[in-house]
Amino acid sequence: MKKEVISLNKNKMKELIDKNLMVIATLFFSGAFIAGKFSIAEFPVYSLTFFRFLIAAVVLFLIILKRGEDLTLKRTDIPRIILLSLLGMVGYHVLFFTALKYTSSVNTSLIAATNPIMTTIMASLFLKEKFPKKSIVGISLSFLGVAIIVTNGSLDMIKNMDFNIGDISMLFAVLFFSLYFIVLKGIVGRVAPIKLTFYVFLFCIILLIPMVIYENPMSYLPQTTWMGWSSLIYMSIFASVIAYLIQQVSVKRIGPAKTSLYVNLVPLFSMIMAYFILGEVITVPKILAGFMIIAGVIITLRSKR
C-alpha cells in the first residue's frame, strides 16, 4: 500500500515538474515575439531568418552528436523535408518578421494563436479529415477576434480597406504554418523528431543563401549591436531549441492534449511582455480579441477530440 502511495506521489511530482517546464517553454515561445521586434530593427528579413536557424541548427547538431543518433535520410523523404523548410521555416518566418516590421508584437502573437484553427480547416480540405460541426462555433469566434485585431475594432478600416500590412502578413504566415503541419503529418512517424527538425533547419539555411547574398551582409553586420545579436541568439536557442525539446518531453509525459493547452498562453504572455518591455499599448479591443481567439481554439480542439 505504501509503495503504491509513494509511486502515485512520484507520478504527481513528475507531472507537476512537466507542467512547470511547459510554462517555461511557453514563456520562451512568447519571448520570440518581443525579441523579434528588436532583431528586425537591425537585420533584413531573409538574413534574420537565416541566422536564426543557422545558430539553432548548429546547437541541434551538437545535441544529436552527443546522443549518438543516426543522421542518415531516405531519398524519398528529402523532397517532403524541403517542402517543410519552404513552408514552415522560410515562408512562415519571412512573413513573421515582415509582420513584426509593420505591426505590434501583440497583434502578431494574437493572430499566430489561430494556427490550430487554420490547421483544422486545411486538414479538412487537403487530408479530407472529418470537420466537426461543433468546431464551427470555435472557428467563427476566433476569426471574429482576428477581424477585431486587423480592423482595430473600427468599421471605417473595412470601408476604406486600410489594413495594416503587418497584420495581413501575419495572417499569411499562419496559413503557411498550417500547411507545414499538413505536410508534417505524412513524415513525422518515419523520421525521429529531433533529426527531422535539424534537417528542416538545414534546408532552410541552404534555401536562404541566395537571398542573404542579395541582402549584402557587409552592409549591416558592422553596425549590428549586442541587442540585435542577443535577441537573435535568444530566438535561436531559447525559443527554437530549448522550448522545442521541453515541448517534446511534455508531449511524451503528459500527452499532446495537455501540452497544446499551454501554447494558448503564448498571446497572454506576449501581451504582458510587450506592455512592460516594449511599452506597447494594450487596448480593450485587443484584450477582447485575445479572449475570443483563445476561447475559439479551445472549443475547436475539444470538438475534435
Side-chain angles (χ1 to χ4, degrees):
M1 185 70 178
K2 285 184 179 180
K3 287 182 179 180
E4 289 178 0
V5 171
I6 292 169
S7 177
L8 187 63
N9 288 334
K10 281 183 178 179
N11 289 333
K12 284 185 177 180
M13 185 62 71
K14 281 182 180 179
E15 187 171 342
L16 182 64
I17 291 169
D18 292 333
K19 286 179 178 179
N20 288 331
L21 282 174
M22 202 50 218
V23 171
I24 294 171
T26 305
L27 282 168
F28 287 161
F29 286 135
S30 305
F33 292 91
I34 312 303
K37 245 333 188 184
F38 288 110
S39 53
I40 195 61
E42 302 192 31
F43 291 88
V45 171
Y46 290 100
S47 297
L48 181 54
T49 307
F50 173 84
F51 285 119
R52 173 177 180 172
F53 290 108
L54 176 63
I55 296 168
V58 169
V59 174
L60 271 180
F61 180 70
L62 293 174
I63 293 170
I64 289 169
L65 278 183
K66 189 174 181 180
R67 290 170 62 170
E69 293 196 17
D70 180 29
L71 274 173
T72 56
L73 273 180
K74 291 181 180 178
R75 287 184 181 180
T76 52
D77 288 332
I78 292 174
R80 192 179 288 266
I81 294 174
I82 292 172
L83 183 57
L84 285 171
S85 293
L86 279 169
L87 292 171
M89 302 304 123
V90 179
Y92 172 80
H93 286 87
V94 166
L95 288 165
F96 165 64
F97 289 130
T98 301
L100 284 174
K101 204 171 181 179
Y102 297 102
T103 192
S104 67
S105 57
V106 171
N107 282 25
T108 54
S109 64
L110 288 172
I111 295 171
T114 62
N115 184 63
I117 300 290
M118 193 72 79
T119 303
T120 300
I121 296 170
M122 292 298 108
S124 66
L125 289 174
F126 294 102
L127 300 180
K128 305 300 179 185
E129 286 189 6
K130 191 176 179 181
F131 192 82
K133 290 181 180 178
K134 290 180 181 179
S135 67
I136 294 173
V137 176
I139 290 169
S140 301
L141 194 61
S142 285
F143 278 125
L144 186 57
V146 172
I148 292 172
I149 294 167
V150 173
T151 62
N152 202 26
S154 172
L155 291 174
D156 290 333
M157 288 186 72
I158 300 174
K159 292 176 184 176
N160 302 325
M161 296 299 288
D162 185 23
F163 301 116
N164 187 314
I165 190 174
D167 294 338
I168 302 301
S169 179
M170 195 61 210
L171 278 170
F172 278 103
V174 172
L175 175 61
F176 269 69
F177 211 64
S178 63
L179 290 172
Y180 164 84
F181 276 115
I182 299 303
V183 177
L184 185 65
K185 284 190 176 184
I187 194 172
V188 73
R190 300 201 303 268
V191 184
I194 193 168
K195 183 168 76 170
L196 177 60
T197 306
F198 167 72
Y199 276 112
V200 169
F201 288 0
L202 181 63
F203 283 118
C204 169
I205 295 162
I206 295 168
L207 290 167
L208 284 171
I209 288 173
M211 295 308 298
V212 173
I213 293 170
Y214 173 77
E215 288 178 335
N216 188 15
M218 292 314 297
S219 66
Y220 59 85
L221 286 180
Q223 287 80 41
T224 306
T225 65
W226 69 270
M227 179 61 78
W229 281 112
S230 58
S231 58
L232 174 61
I233 290 168
Y234 170 86
M235 287 190 293
S236 301
I237 297 175
F238 291 91
S240 294
V241 178
I242 296 176
Y244 160 77
L245 291 174
I246 290 173
Q247 192 178 45
Q248 290 297 312
V249 172
S250 179
V251 168
K252 188 176 180 181
R253 291 184 180 177
I254 67 174
K258 288 182 180 179
T259 300
S260 66
L261 290 175
Y262 283 91
V263 181
N264 293 322
L265 294 172
V266 170
L268 175 63
F269 289 156
S270 297
M271 199 178 288
I272 295 168
M273 289 179 186
Y275 178 78
F276 286 104
I277 299 172
L278 300 175
E280 291 186 4
V281 179
I282 310 299
T283 61
V284 173
K286 286 183 181 180
I287 294 171
L288 176 63
F291 278 116
M292 291 173 76
I293 289 169
I294 294 169
V297 169
I298 292 171
I299 290 168
T300 303
L301 290 175
R302 283 185 176 178
S303 67
K304 287 175 74 178
R305 288 200 294 272

